[in-house]
């Protein structure tokens, strides 16, 4: 177990370089699904690895050994190694649990506040009288579709076809429940520091999903590209995002030039890179899971031996 348990803790560092290439090389929908699965899976396996590091050291405590009905120490569990490891792993687990609980509570509170329009409107679209150009999607609570917020300044900055494309983009965020994917990436990042680097490619892939949905809705990729580019330029020139809620998803977010190039078909296709990156991420996920299961099995066998039983194979 002492060797296998480290693989889930090290694998996120290997997965991140492949993930950075994934968002550009795969279709947006496939990239989002694979990135979300990788982030959540690696976070769970690394957390399980920390738990497995806690157990051998914890059994050195007489009360824990009595609860586990251990008649002798775990095999290959030297106290000068396992006890410090267990203490460090327990501290990390406590820190992760606290951070995840705080983040989940904060996210829920933000969703609740975002779901109550300040002007009392209850429709999908809320138009705010503000000269600063801005537009974003506010996800709703479970059972609520959410709403699109757009300022009068943004409406004046775009022509009618571009407005339709922008609204279609924000609507795609709501329909696809994209905030849940971002929340999953945020929570995974709290479980392992290397997974923080997955948030940027995840955000880019989600914006690309909404871009493609907008292009399909208006039937013109050039109009969609022009709407996103002009909206981003207008919003950044006016700095209209200062009052935007943290849970909002906006068409002006992320690397807009790369998104426009993708819509216009100017991005260089890299199917081989995408397949290689996807294979690398899946390999990391499978290897991490297999190592965690192997370490769990070894620990279970060691506990059976310490209880005076013969392990079952």
């Amino acid at each position: 177990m002492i060797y296998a348990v480290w693989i889930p803790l090290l694998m996120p560092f290997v997965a991140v370089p492949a993930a950075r290439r994934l968002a550009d090389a795969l279709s947006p929908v496939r990239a989002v699904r694979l990135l979300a699965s990788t982030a959540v899976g690696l976070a769970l396996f690394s957390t399980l690895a920390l738990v497995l590091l806690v157990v051998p050291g914890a059994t050195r405590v007489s009360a824990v050994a009595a609860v586990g009905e251990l008649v002798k120490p775990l095999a290959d569990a030297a106290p000068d190694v396992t006890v410090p490891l267990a203490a460090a792993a327990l501290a990390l687990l406590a820190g992760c649990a606290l951070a995840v609980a705080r983040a989940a509570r904060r996210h829920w509170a933000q969703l609740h506040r975002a779901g109550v329009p300040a002007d009392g409107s209850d429709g999908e679209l809320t138009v705010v009288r503000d000269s600063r150009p801005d537009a974003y999607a506010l996800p709703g609570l479970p059972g609520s579709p959410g709403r699109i917020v757009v300022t009068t300044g943004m409406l004046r900055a775009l022509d009618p076809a571009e407005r339709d494309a922008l609204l279609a983009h924000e609507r795609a965020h709501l329909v696809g429940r994209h905030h849940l994917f971002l929340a999953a990436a945020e929570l995974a990042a709290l479980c392992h520091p290397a997974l923080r680097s997955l948030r940027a490619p995840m955000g880019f892939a989600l914006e690309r999903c909404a871009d493609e949905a907008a292009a399909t809705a208006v039937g013109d990729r050039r109009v969609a590209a022009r709407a996103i580019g002009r909206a981003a330029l207008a919003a950044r020139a006016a700095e209209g995002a200062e009052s935007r809620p943290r849970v909002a998803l906006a068409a002006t977010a992320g690397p807009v030039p790369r998104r426009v190039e993708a819509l216009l078909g100017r991005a260089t296709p890299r199917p081989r890179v995408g397949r290689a990156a996807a294979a690398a991420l899946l390999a990391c996920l499978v290897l991490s899971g297999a190592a965690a299961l192997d370490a769990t099995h070894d620990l279970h066998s060691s506990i059976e031996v310490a209880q005076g039983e013969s392990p079952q194979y």
Side-chain angles (χ1 to χ4, degrees):
M1 185 196 79
I2 192 63
Y3 300 107
V5 76
W6 293 104
I7 293 178
L9 296 173
L10 297 176
M11 203 51 61
F13 294 102
V14 180
V16 166
R20 289 172 179 167
R21 297 176 176 270
L22 195 69
D24 279 322
L26 281 186
S27 67
V29 174
R30 291 179 61 191
V32 166
R33 292 174 180 173
L34 187 52
L35 286 170
S37 301
T38 300
V40 173
L42 292 179
L44 289 176
F45 294 140
S46 63
T47 302
L48 176 58
L50 290 177
V51 173
L52 295 176
L53 286 174
V54 169
V55 175
T59 58
R60 290 287 173 175
V61 179
S62 57
V64 175
V67 171
E69 300 180 349
L70 304 183
V71 297
K72 58 182 178 180
L74 294 182
D76 300 326
D80 57 339
V81 175
T82 57
V83 173
L85 275 178
L90 184 60
L92 289 174
L93 281 172
C96 290
L98 182 61
V100 168
R102 286 178 175 175
R105 185 171 64 251
R106 182 173 61 249
H107 184 75
W108 182 264
Q110 290 168 352
L111 285 179
H112 183 75
R113 287 195 298 268
V116 182
D119 58 0
S121 61
D122 58 358
E124 179 196 48
L125 179 64
T126 299
V127 178
V128 178
R129 293 186 178 277
D130 192 335
S131 60
R132 297 176 300 176
D134 198 15
Y136 49 87
L138 279 179
L141 294 169
S144 172
R147 58 196 173 95
I148 300 169
V149 179
V150 61
T151 66
T152 52
M154 180 62 80
L155 294 177
R156 286 195 294 267
L158 305 177
D159 63 34
E162 292 167 352
R163 293 173 198 159
D164 291 340
L166 181 66
L167 295 179
H169 175 103
E170 306 301 353
R171 188 174 296 112
H173 281 316
L174 298 179
V175 173
R177 307 295 285 177
H178 289 173
H179 70 286
L180 296 179
F181 292 97
L182 285 177
E186 292 284 346
L187 295 179
L190 296 175
C191 297
H192 196 291
L195 296 178
R196 296 172 185 172
S197 298
L198 294 184
R199 292 180 294 188
M202 172 69 81
F204 175 73
L206 288 173
E207 291 303 326
R208 286 283 298 116
C209 285
D211 291 344
E212 293 296 328
T216 300
V218 299
D220 192 328
R221 300 181 68 84
R222 298 187 68 85
V223 169
R226 190 171 68 244
I228 292 166
R230 291 186 63 183
L233 289 173
R236 291 177 183 178
E239 298 182 354
E242 294 179 356
S243 59
R244 186 185 300 164
R246 288 189 60 184
V247 293
L249 297 100
T252 57
V256 174
R258 284 168 55 197
R259 293 165 49 201
V260 171
E261 287 182 354
L263 279 172
L264 296 178
R266 296 174 183 171
T268 304
R270 296 185 296 172
R272 291 184 180 179
V273 174
R275 288 193 294 268
L281 283 184
L282 289 174
C284 290
L285 193 58
V286 170
L287 184 58
S288 181
L293 290 177
D294 182 59
T296 303
H297 179 268
D298 286 349
L299 179 61
H300 181 264
S301 299
S302 297
I303 291 175
E304 287 186 334
V305 172
Q307 290 172 334
E309 302 175 5
S310 297
Q312 301 297 320
Y313 295 98

